[in-house]
Amino acid sequence: MAAVVVIRLAGLDDGTYLALPVSGMPYLAVVSVLLLGASALLRGRALSVVAAALVVVQVVLLAPRFVAEGAEPAPAAGATVRVATSNTLQGRVDAGALVDLVRTQRVDVLAVQEFTPSAASTLAEAGLADLLPHHVLPGGADTALYSRLPLSRTGALAAPTTWRQAAASVRVGGREIRLVSVHTYFPAGDPDRWSRDLAALRTAARHNAVLLGDFNATLDHAPLRELLAAGLVDSHAELGEAWAPTWPTRGASPVPLLQLDHVLHGDALAATWAGEYELPGSDHRAVVAELRLTR
């Protein structure tokens, strides 16, 4: 456990397979607390000191995510936009369920990943175009954006990522918001490529940016923390709701274990609400967030 904490503190997971154990940092914190309790019962002084030190370090690292930021709240009258993201698992997501989510949650912009031409057809048949008539589906990309609002500056993000990232701008309250549907490589497959993908996204970290999608990274991973440091905020952490696992919703685990799907935004916006929704056919929970313009 101590080794994983050292890896996390030193950022040794960046571009290495050490990213895999770092994914479990929140669970390690729980184990450390249990270890501290067990060592106290057994009166093991040395073990108690080590366990206590681990608990303190992890509290320092994790606690801020569960406390809403103390910055000045966004103006109550500020314009808002509702965004959502869904990994479609190569188009296997239940199209009707995804369209229902867009309708019931009054989504303005939807980002999708692991998108396929057949998924585009299925969503069109399910009525997505009636709710979100504007879209950008860059050729050769596995991401797309759908919008209730007219899109401009559409295409793929000019960044050397493994998969092309769909990008577009919308105007909300007279201001431009730059949107990117994100899908990075995964660390278990090639940690160096994963790290390079996240580093390439830093070019999109602007004050009016919203990057949303499947980052294949948690808030403990050094490459994602560096992306945040470039000028972005994680919506869940901002709201003090950072325990929001989104993956996997299929397979051996009965419940999602890791938050790989995020809505990140620049300082021209503030999150007012976020939620997660399970969709049949996908192995990721969809994430919906409401963002308010602050300037």
Side-chain angles (χ1 to χ4, degrees):
M1 289 188 293
V4 178
V5 172
V6 170
I7 292 167
R8 161 65 170 82
L9 289 171
L12 299 178
D13 60 294
D14 193 349
T16 74
Y17 286 107
L18 295 174
L20 303 181
V22 168
S23 301
M25 278 292 292
Y27 299 100
L28 181 61
V30 174
V31 173
S32 297
V33 171
L34 294 175
L35 180 61
L36 179 59
S39 63
L41 289 173
L42 296 173
R43 298 183 179 180
R45 184 173 180 181
L47 185 58
S48 294
V49 170
V50 172
L54 286 173
V55 169
V56 169
V57 171
Q58 290 173 91
V59 166
V60 171
L61 293 174
L62 301 176
R65 304 176 196 171
F66 299 93
V67 179
E69 291 192 1
E72 289 295 319
T80 61
V81 60
R82 279 207 167 200
V83 299
T85 176
S86 173
N87 182 311
T88 72
L89 189 58
Q90 295 297 319
R92 284 176 247 174
V93 70
D94 185 311
L98 181 52
V99 171
D100 284 344
L101 178 68
V102 169
R103 180 183 297 108
T104 58
Q105 292 301 315
R106 307 184 309 282
V107 171
D108 297 306
V109 179
L110 170 68
V112 287
Q113 304 84 42
E114 291 195 29
F115 204 52
T116 63
S118 61
S121 299
T122 304
L123 283 172
E125 292 169 3
L128 184 62
D130 296 334
L131 302 172
L132 307 177
H134 309 282
H135 61 262
V136 53
L137 301 95
D142 82 336
T143 63
L145 287 165
Y146 286 85
S147 176
R148 179 182 63 81
L149 307 165
L151 297 173
S152 62
R153 299 173 57 205
T154 60
L157 183 68
T161 50
T162 300
W163 297 296
R164 302 175 77 203
Q165 320 288 312
S169 294
V170 296
R171 295 196 70 81
V172 177
R175 295 182 174 87
E176 181 186 59
I177 296 176
R178 187 65 176 165
L179 297 142
V180 181
S181 179
V182 172
H183 189 204
T184 70
Y185 209 73
F186 51 102
D190 186 334
D192 184 59
R193 182 183 292 187
W194 164 74
S195 182
R196 284 188 277 112
D197 277 358
L198 286 163
L201 292 174
R202 293 179 216 163
T203 60
R206 303 172 185 172
H207 75 283
N208 65 336
V210 178
L211 279 65
L212 68 169
D214 176 8
F215 290 77
N216 274 310
T218 73
L219 294 176
D220 288 302
H221 285 122
L224 183 56
R225 289 186 284 117
E226 290 171 4
L227 177 58
L228 293 170
L232 299 174
V233 176
D234 178 85
S235 294
H236 281 92
E238 178 183 18
L239 295 166
E241 301 171 0
W243 182 246
T246 61
W247 179 90
T249 59
R250 295 168 53 136
S253 175
V255 295
L257 298 174
L258 305 175
Q259 185 180 7
L260 304 182
D261 304 83
H262 305 267
V263 175
L264 311 183
H265 63 81
D267 63 8
L269 302 114
T272 61
W273 175 86
E276 311 77 48
Y277 300 87
E278 199 157 323
L279 296 175
S282 176
D283 61 342
H284 288 247
R285 281 178 174 169
V287 175
V288 182
E290 182 177 86
L291 305 174
R292 189 181 299 276
L293 286 163
T294 59
R295 61 184 177 90

